[in-house]
Amino acid sequence: MVARSTTGRHGAAAPAQAGAAIELRGISKAFGSVQANKDISIEVARGTIHGIIGENGAGKSTLMSILYGFYKADSGEILINGIPTPIPDSQAAIRAGIGMVFQHFKLVQNFSVLENVILGAEDGALLRPSLAKARRVLAELAAEYELDVDPDALIENLSVGHLQRVEILKALYRHADILILDEPTGVLTPDEADHLFRILKGLKEQGKTIILITHKLREIMDITDTVSVMRRGEMTATLRTADTSPEHLAELMVGRKVLLDVAKAPARPGRTVLEIDNLRVRDSAGVERLKGISLSVRAGEILGIAGVSGNGQSELLAVLGGIAHGTGTVSINGEPIDLSGKSSGGQSRRAQGISHVPEDRQHLGMIMDFTAWENIAFGYHNDPAYQKNPLLMDNAAILDDARGKMDRFDVRPPIPTLPAKSFSGGNQQKIILAREIERNPDLLLVGQPTRGVDIGAIEFIHKRIIELRDAGKAILLVSVELDEIIGLADRIAVMFDGRIMGERLPGETDERALGLLMAGVAGAEEGR
């Protein structure tokens, strides 16, 4: 099965097989002076998995939002199964058999799975018949596609992997034959991602057409039949996946050769910056999440924390960043940190030389309705450089500082007056990194630094982290991406069930050995 791009400047793509599920002709969309999509034409063959890749801000999500009816194209035409199909809104898309699973889930937290599935698709004023029908259909879909989820579970109590299954079930319940997934593995563990891919292959075998938006080239190579590459709002190529390589795709995405492996010199560790002894944290329900953590990080090194999400990494970052309380002893440069919560939390951490890039950029790292320049000032608004006098902030100075940071971190578009929600996920991440890294911290806490970030931005972020290390700073890195941990870290500590299972040197271990430790297998063998 092959898709066709009418541009194909970087090599001829094979013609599409008869019976395209989707055809986009000459789609263009602008937001003011920003041309998000420019004359895009593409076909997606029925019953295939078609990847769309590109840098953050390349226009991928805008294009799919047009297909799903969230945006209206300025020009162009959409054909579904060969029939011209206007899609003015998402209801029209659903009627056309299109479902979309967004990068950030659209679920009501205090509703059950059943209630979320039928929301907006009720059969009448009485909910009981709709719920009974949904329960029956969900059982059938779960059995057919490995989408097991407790229908009575509250959304707020489910893991991220199960939340994504709920989103897919919502689409299938509405009879979607075409399924769009926007960065579906950006918030999944490796095991959850593998399970998702089994689900997608099962959907394909049942004749569903799947469009996968992702920045992860390994995923493209593993699961897609064809792949289209976007750059700066244009479609640059569509290729058979079997006829390309990660290196070729990365070059098409960025317009230059990209280093897929992290290039760094050996670390030169200095004094101990962070010292943790017997750190314990309990959650609001009294459950112990950290169970006696002890570790240290020295100046000029990166300590990577590996582990399946939910094993205490988030709590470790939270208590070190002043968001959560704990017991035990933590010191920075020999000075103790207050873990009781009686001090000013994050503010005192910054005063002690700690910067924090949180795992959840949208809830903990930014205020989405505020502008980029306001977000760049958050936490540092008392900086004398930002003050006109003790009572007034110097907005002009903050704007000028934001422009410089956005330029140095290649934030696109480089417009500090745009609200944070107007930027792609990768550019939101760059805004947070610019804010925290440029404060010259003694210790950088960074969680999931490249979650939902494209290959070009990943290379950029990795270089910045290495530069900070080489400048003599201590870095505590948490990531669920094992290749990222192995590539960046100078030492790796593995967490399981709130404990440190062991430490390894990247050059003396591999993903299998780390995976055993992540599964709680003590004394897992090292080596290749």
Side-chain angles (χ1 to χ4, degrees):
M1 298 288 189
V2 183
R4 175 180 60 83
S5 169
T6 59
T7 50
R9 295 194 298 267
H10 296 268
Q17 182 176 357
I22 302 166
E23 184 177 359
L24 304 178
R25 296 178 179 173
I27 298 294
S28 293
K29 177 66 178 178
F31 298 95
S33 61
V34 178
Q35 189 72 43
N37 292 154
K38 183 179 180 182
D39 193 29
I40 291 177
S41 297
I42 184 175
E43 290 182 7
V44 178
R46 187 180 297 113
T48 64
I49 300 178
H50 187 101
I52 297 181
I53 60 172
E55 291 187 277
N56 292 116
K60 309 181 300 294
S61 295
T62 297
L63 185 65
M64 291 302 101
S65 293
I66 289 170
L67 181 57
Y68 194 61
F70 269 20
Y71 298 142
K72 183 178 180 181
D74 298 331
S75 61
E77 185 178 29
I78 298 172
L79 286 78
I80 305 297
N81 295 317
I83 301 171
T85 307
I87 303 181
D89 53 39
S90 59
Q91 289 302 312
I94 292 169
R95 288 193 298 271
I98 301 172
M100 187 162 182
V101 178
F102 293 88
Q103 182 178 1
H104 301 287
F105 306 136
K106 311 294 185 182
L107 299 169
V108 181
Q109 292 296 303
N110 58 349
F111 278 21
S112 70
V113 170
L114 271 180
E115 290 166 339
N116 270 276
V117 167
I118 69 166
L119 188 62
E122 300 88 347
D123 293 323
L126 298 177
L127 289 182
R128 184 171 295 178
S130 293
L131 290 169
K133 173 188 171 184
R135 188 180 296 276
R136 183 182 69 255
V137 173
L138 289 191
E140 295 169 356
L141 292 171
E144 189 169 3
Y145 299 117
E146 291 188 72
L147 286 164
D148 297 315
V149 183
D150 179 2
D152 298 310
L154 292 180
I155 293 299
E156 61 190 1
N157 295 330
L158 294 179
S159 70
V160 174
H162 281 86
L163 294 178
Q164 192 165 67
R165 295 182 202 177
V166 176
E167 288 282 24
I168 295 173
L169 285 168
K170 278 175 55 181
L172 296 177
Y173 184 76
R174 288 157 174 77
H175 309 292
D177 288 317
I178 299 164
L179 196 60
I180 305 166
L181 294 100
D182 188 1
E183 297 287 359
T185 64
V187 292
L188 300 184
T189 66
D191 285 345
E192 289 171 333
D194 289 342
H195 184 82
L196 171 66
F197 290 156
R198 289 196 299 272
I199 291 169
L200 296 184
K201 289 175 181 176
L203 290 166
K204 171 188 165 183
E205 290 169 2
Q206 295 295 323
K208 306 291 186 184
T209 302
I210 297 163
I211 299 177
L212 179 67
I213 304 172
T214 181
H215 68 278
K216 297 182 180 180
L217 298 180
R218 178 180 60 82
E219 296 176 358
I220 288 290
M221 300 305 298
D222 286 349
I223 196 172
T224 64
D225 300 296
T226 49
V227 54
S228 293
V229 184
M230 293 185 67
R231 186 167 73 243
R232 297 186 182 274
E234 298 185 67
M235 191 68 69
T236 61
T238 295
L239 307 164
R240 291 179 185 270
T241 307
D243 294 340
T244 188
S245 67
E247 292 78 13
H248 184 217
L249 291 175
E251 187 172 352
L252 290 175
M253 286 169 60
V254 181
R256 59 175 173 80
K257 290 189 178 296
V258 177
L259 293 175
L260 298 181
D261 296 320
V262 179
K264 63 175 184 176
R268 302 178 65 181
R271 73 187 191 286
T272 298
V273 173
L274 172 67
E275 186 77 38
I276 302 173
D277 183 48
N278 195 31
L279 178 61
R280 296 178 181 273
V281 171
R282 292 183 180 273
D283 65 16
S284 58
V287 177
E288 194 170 37
R289 296 299 184 185
L290 294 183
K291 303 174 182 179
I293 296 291
S294 296
L295 54 82
S296 63
V297 189
R298 292 179 290 175
E301 77 166 351
I302 300 172
L303 175 65
I305 306 293
V308 176
S309 181
N311 279 275
Q313 307 97 306
S314 297
E315 287 78 7
L316 177 62
L317 287 178
V319 72
L320 294 178
I323 299 171
H325 309 154
T327 60
T329 303
V330 177
S331 61
I332 296 292
N333 295 321
E335 294 294 323
I337 285 178
D338 175 33
L339 303 178
S340 69
K342 295 178 181 178
S343 68
S344 55
Q347 280 294 96
S348 66
R349 298 294 197 269
R350 287 188 168 93
Q352 290 181 285
I354 301 175
S355 285
H356 183 195
V357 178
E359 292 180 291
D360 189 336
R361 57 177 169 258
Q362 292 202 353
H363 290 95
L364 294 177
M366 312 183 92
I367 298 178
M368 302 306 293
D369 289 329
F370 282 34
T371 63
W373 69 268
E374 289 170 321
N375 276 284
I376 283 174
F378 284 153
Y380 301 101
H381 47 278
N382 291 323
D383 187 325
Y386 288 170
Q387 304 296 317
K388 280 187 176 181
N389 57 55
L391 298 177
L392 292 175
M393 296 178 66
D394 188 343
N395 289 350
I398 299 173
L399 264 168
D400 186 59
D401 181 58
R403 289 190 186 96
K405 286 182 167 65
M406 293 175 78
D407 178 64
R408 290 187 292 276
F409 277 73
D410 192 29
V411 177
R412 302 178 191 175
I415 305 173
T417 53
L418 285 178
K421 63 185 178 184
S422 297
F423 293 88
S424 66
N427 283 297
Q428 291 170 4
Q429 187 78 344
K430 286 182 181 180
I431 289 170
I432 297 170
L433 284 161
R435 180 183 70 209
E436 300 300 330
I437 286 178
E438 293 218 347
R439 286 291 164 171
N440 195 33
D442 291 327
L443 171 68
L444 176 68
L445 308 172
V446 56
Q448 316 304 339
T450 58
R451 173 176 281 170
V453 175
D454 65 66
I455 191 70
I458 288 172
E459 181 192 37
F460 179 89
I461 290 169
H462 284 174
K463 283 182 177 179
R464 287 296 180 137
I465 292 173
I466 294 297
E467 287 171 3
L468 197 66
R469 181 205 73 166
D470 292 345
K473 308 303 180 179
I475 299 166
L476 180 69
L477 168 75
V478 170
S479 177
V480 296
E481 304 286 352
L482 275 181
D483 55 350
E484 182 167 64
I485 288 285
I486 293 171
L488 281 177
D490 302 303
R491 289 186 294 124
I492 301 171
V494 181
M495 288 189 68
F496 172 77
D497 192 29
R499 297 182 174 89
I500 300 293
M501 294 297 295
E503 285 195 12
R504 300 290 185 265
L505 296 176
E508 299 176 1
T509 190
D510 58 17
E511 290 193 10
R512 177 185 173 276
L514 293 175
L516 289 172
L517 289 171
M518 289 164 63
V521 180
E525 290 184 326
E526 299 181 58
R528 298 185 183 281

